[in-house]
Amino acid sequence: MFIVYAKLVGPIFVKNRENKIESFSTIDPFISLVITSMATPRGLILTPLYFLIYLWCFGVFVTSAWGSKARHFKWEVDYMYHAPDCLENVVMAINGQFPGPTIKARAGDTVVVHLTNKLHTEGVVIHWHGIRQLGTPWADGTASISQCAINPGETFVYRFKVDKAGTYFYHGHYGMQRSAGLYGLLIVDVEEGKKENFLYDGEFNLLLSDWWHKSVREQEVDLSANPMRWIGEPQSLLINGRGQYNCTLAAAHDSNGSSLSACKFRGNEQCAPNILHVQPNKTYRLRVASTTALASLNLAIGNHKMVMVEADGNYLQPFSVNDFDIYSGETYSVLFRTDQNPSNNYWISVGVRGREPKTPQGLAILHYKSTTASKLPTLPPPRTPQWNDYARSKSFSNKILALSGSPRPPTNYNRRIFLLNTQNRIDGYTKWAINNVSLTLPTTPYLGSIKHGLTSAFDQKSPPNTFVNTYDITRPPSNPNTTYGNGVYKLEFGKTIDVILQNANALNANVSEIHPWHLHGHDFWVLGYGEGKFSKNDEKKLNLKNPPLRNTVVIFPYGWTALRFVTDNPGVWAFHCHIEPHLHMGMGVVFASGVHLVGKIPDEALSCGLTGKMLKNENHN
């Protein structure tokens, strides 16, 4: 636990675990105000009678002797009609809500979700993004990797511990169901009786997503067609499931000659903008998560500076920004001070980065309670930085460092894996590949087949550990052909693994895309980023002093990103690009480590494929 001290203006000091005072920056008056800690209220303790009543009706919790709680939820996943961007469409919802319900828990709590599939023709799973699933790898929610898809009409019980405070979210991990709207927030507060590292007077959550009018089923067919039909850019950006497609909130500030008319809302429309109600001269925590299927984003609050304090559930060295980039799969917490003119309201803007933007900004409103909520901001929305200003993006990424006292990476690695991202073809079909292998998933979950020694369930040959060093990453592949594969990288348990993500040119000349990569089951240290092809000379650039711990990281065009993690969590874990169509087209790998140490796996997780047949035979015997 860190306790932070500061004067009104000047340096900030941190008291570390050794009780020593450390100065880490001299900053502006705003940052020096957003420090120290606050207490949080206790939760309700239910009697056995009310437990039985509420367990199946609402999200509830039960207090244990040690203060942690079991929080129970009963969810049903189904399609429904909704108008996220003012145009009615079909969305995937939980208990009739889009986005899904926000889970709130404390570090050390156990979350129990009874998930019933009410979809008529397709399976479903839910991945708890950023939750490491220590001891419960079968609850990771990855179809064909940690479990079988939940069939229509079936119920699966996810039970897992949230071991670390932070900002997380959940989403579908079967087909492209995340694109269909199957997602929601998962907020984990510090343990009962503990305090946060910083002071704030209130808290808001923003879940960012992108939205297409074409159905997910059509998108999947397009991506699998020969020739491929690219899904295009999203029609809208959504903030907490709300956006505007056929009108604009900022018509008075439109300098681009847009033909869109001004939005006219009563306030109860499904696409009415989010309004964050604040008091003047207060400090607020803004938790932001990006579950976009494609878009990299940039967020700004008009006239308000922000301080980055948390990323993917890990504390950061605080630093001030006017705006920040957020890639699919990432989460942040920022602090901001409501120190502007209290007679005005202000825009919160979200715009596209990393791709040529063909999607309007997403907008929400910061409402000062000293004025009326219906009053639109007088200033124009903050302008999103140029989409291809990668120098700006890299500068921001390089400022993200771990807070003093955070765990440091091991000095040396036991194994290093190089993963080359390329776009390729198989029999004319466009695919993404890693080390020239395009991932396909087996019908039997890896976790079960490895645990029970079912060697025929998938290719036992390990995928390539690297790529040929003569590969030219600046040009389209000289031989664009690749192969399908479902092999697994088997990693020795308890070892330190380095992964070098290497980006390259796509099939078309002068095209290299941003790819945010997400690792299940672990956090990793981001040791550094670089240009071109990684070489021995880049070793000296790696940060072993204070690299941030993350679960998602970006790889920039024609560049590399270096990661380090320890295989300390038994299971089988996906590692993949978090852009939904890229994963659908094969951009991912699978790591397995210590599976023999995994305890009893619920039969319901293994009821398909070869494990399903095995269980059926055991029951007959």
Side-chain angles (χ1 to χ4, degrees):
M1 171 62 68
F2 292 84
I3 305 172
V4 182
Y5 301 88
K7 294 182 292 184
L8 182 62
V9 180
I12 284 183
F13 300 93
V14 177
K15 181 180 283 189
N16 63 22
R17 289 188 177 92
E18 288 73 40
N19 217 35
K20 296 178 181 178
I21 300 294
E22 298 180 3
S23 172
F24 63 85
S25 64
T26 300
I27 50 183
D28 60 36
F30 166 55
I31 300 182
S32 62
L33 288 171
V34 289
I35 49 182
T36 196
S37 56
M38 68 175 292
T40 52
R42 290 182 57 85
L44 172 67
I45 300 177
L46 298 177
T47 65
L49 175 60
Y50 282 110
F51 171 81
L52 291 173
I53 296 173
Y54 287 122
L55 176 61
W56 296 103
C57 300
F58 307 100
V60 303
F61 51 79
V62 180
T63 304
S64 76
W66 298 274
S68 60
K69 302 175 178 67
R71 300 178 183 266
H72 292 255
F73 303 88
K74 184 182 180 183
W75 285 0
E76 294 182 349
V77 176
D78 203 352
Y79 285 110
M80 72 176 189
Y81 285 106
H82 198 76
D85 63 356
C86 304
L87 186 68
E88 189 176 70
N89 213 319
V90 173
V91 303
M92 195 169 282
I94 297 175
N95 292 355
Q97 296 183 46
F98 169 80
T102 294
I103 291 178
K104 291 213 70 173
R106 288 189 179 276
D109 287 352
T110 297
V111 172
V112 185
V113 177
H114 299 254
L115 185 72
T116 300
N117 181 2
K118 290 290 187 176
L119 307 172
H120 296 294
T121 59
E122 58 188 297
V124 70
V125 296
I126 288 184
H127 169 56
W128 314 95
H129 188 107
I131 305 301
R132 292 180 291 177
Q133 300 295 345
L134 301 175
T136 53
W138 49 266
D140 189 49
T142 46
S144 297
I145 298 176
S146 64
Q147 70 170 105
C148 300
I150 306 165
N151 290 324
E154 293 182 346
T155 298
F156 184 84
V157 180
Y158 289 101
R159 183 186 298 271
F160 55 90
K161 185 176 181 179
V162 289
D163 65 295
K164 188 169 60 171
T167 305
Y168 308 101
F169 63 103
Y170 61 84
H171 60 81
H173 214 294
Y174 182 64
M176 291 175 60
Q177 290 179 345
R178 175 159 53 96
S179 296
L182 185 53
Y183 44 70
L185 284 164
L186 199 171
I187 305 300
V188 182
D189 290 320
V190 295
E191 296 94 327
E192 189 77 52
K194 290 191 177 181
K195 296 181 179 181
E196 266 291 7
N197 291 345
F198 32 78
L199 173 68
Y200 51 93
D201 302 299
E203 178 176 313
F204 299 100
N205 306 323
L206 295 183
L207 181 61
L208 311 180
S209 56
D210 42 12
W211 186 250
W212 282 258
H213 295 160
K214 180 179 286 188
S215 73
V216 166
R217 198 61 62 86
E218 284 185 87
Q219 292 182 44
E220 292 174 343
V221 173
D222 285 348
L223 294 171
S224 302
N226 187 359
M228 179 194 70
R229 301 182 184 184
W230 177 240
I231 63 173
E233 303 304 309
Q235 275 69 62
S236 307
L237 300 178
L238 307 183
I239 301 175
N240 290 342
R242 294 167 176 259
Q244 296 79 40
Y245 170 70
N246 52 6
C247 65
T248 176
L249 294 171
H253 307 288
D254 184 11
S255 59
N256 299 320
S258 171
S259 59
L260 292 177
S261 59
C263 296
K264 297 179 180 179
F265 292 124
R266 297 183 302 274
N268 60 348
E269 294 87 353
Q270 294 171 340
C271 59
N274 284 271
I275 301 176
L276 279 57
H277 304 284
V278 297
Q279 296 284 2
N281 299 312
K282 300 291 184 180
T283 297
Y284 291 90
R285 179 180 189 169
L286 184 65
R287 297 180 184 262
V288 186
S290 175
T291 185
T292 56
L294 177 64
S296 302
L297 301 174
N298 179 274
L299 184 143
I301 306 176
N303 270 30
H304 291 73
K305 285 189 173 184
M306 297 171 283
V307 176
M308 315 297 298
V309 293
E310 178 228 339
D312 296 354
N314 296 286
Y315 293 117
L316 303 178
Q317 289 186 19
F319 64 98
S320 178
V321 297
N322 294 316
D323 58 79
F324 64 92
D325 291 340
I326 181 168
Y327 302 98
S328 177
E330 291 187 326
T331 69
Y332 289 104
S333 282
V334 301
L335 303 176
F336 68 94
R337 183 84 179 160
T338 51
D339 55 3
Q340 297 302 299
N341 185 343
S343 63
N344 290 331
N345 293 325
Y346 300 86
W347 296 110
I348 300 171
S349 68
V350 175
V352 174
R353 296 275 276 140
R355 304 182 66 86
E356 187 172 358
K358 299 177 182 177
T359 309
Q361 282 185 323
L363 296 174
I365 295 173
L366 185 71
H367 164 231
Y368 277 61
K369 290 184 177 180
S370 46
T371 188
T372 59
S374 60
K375 180 182 178 181
L376 288 176
T378 56
L379 297 174
R383 185 180 296 273
T384 301
Q386 183 70 18
W387 70 272
N388 57 357
D389 186 354
Y390 295 117
R392 181 189 180 105
S393 299
K394 294 172 186 176
S395 174
F396 169 74
S397 294
N398 283 313
K399 291 177 183 176
I400 299 173
L401 300 171
L403 185 65
S404 176
S406 300
R408 289 188 179 184
T411 304
N412 300 305
Y413 61 87
N414 300 109
R415 180 178 177 183
R416 176 171 281 175
I417 301 171
F418 293 84
L419 299 179
L420 175 68
N421 300 235
T422 55
Q423 192 179 40
N424 300 83
R425 291 194 178 94
I426 299 178
D427 299 327
Y429 294 91
T430 302
K431 299 294 177 182
W432 287 96
I434 304 301
N435 292 351
N436 209 38
V437 177
S438 184
L439 180 65
T440 59
L441 296 175
T443 56
T444 303
Y446 290 111
L447 183 63
S449 58
I450 296 175
K451 174 73 173 176
H452 295 286
L454 304 176
T455 57
S456 63
F458 64 93
D459 186 356
Q460 296 298 301
K461 183 180 178 181
S462 177
N465 201 69
T466 188
F467 57 95
V468 293
N469 59 12
T470 57
Y471 189 93
D472 187 352
I473 67 166
T474 66
R475 298 175 181 273
S478 56
N479 178 3
N481 296 316
T482 188
T483 58
Y484 294 113
N486 61 13
V488 171
Y489 288 94
K490 295 180 179 178
L491 309 178
E492 190 176 350
F493 185 72
K495 299 298 182 180
T496 300
I497 308 298
D498 274 12
V499 175
I500 309 297
L501 289 167
Q502 179 66 63
N503 213 342
N505 202 100
L507 284 170
N508 293 329
N510 303 314
V511 175
S512 183
E513 298 187 17
I514 276 181
H515 300 289
W517 275 74
H518 171 58
L519 177 60
H520 294 225
H522 301 80
D523 284 348
F524 50 71
W525 290 276
V526 182
L527 302 186
Y529 309 87
E531 310 289 335
K533 191 186 295 185
F534 184 87
S535 69
K536 289 185 177 180
N537 293 331
D538 293 315
E539 295 277 358
K540 64 187 73 172
K541 302 177 183 177
L542 301 183
N543 175 17
L544 299 180
K545 179 182 177 182
N546 56 357
L549 273 168
R550 305 294 303 266
N551 61 58
T552 303
V553 70
V554 66
I555 175 173
F556 292 106
Y558 300 109
W560 56 264
T561 300
L563 320 175
R564 180 167 293 177
F565 70 99
V566 177
T567 54
D568 55 3
N569 189 13
V572 184
W573 309 107
F575 183 43
H576 60 89
C577 178
H578 210 258
I579 292 176
E580 191 88 309
H582 290 183
L583 175 59
H584 184 74
M585 298 164 70
M587 197 173 194
V589 298
V590 178
F591 295 144
S593 178
V595 178
H596 63 287
L597 300 173
V598 174
K600 167 67 175 174
I601 303 171
D603 289 351
E604 295 80 7
L606 306 178
S607 59
C608 60
L610 296 180
T611 48
K613 293 178 180 178
M614 177 194 72
L615 293 171
K616 185 176 181 180
N617 291 334
E618 289 178 354
N619 291 333
H620 282 317
N621 295 332

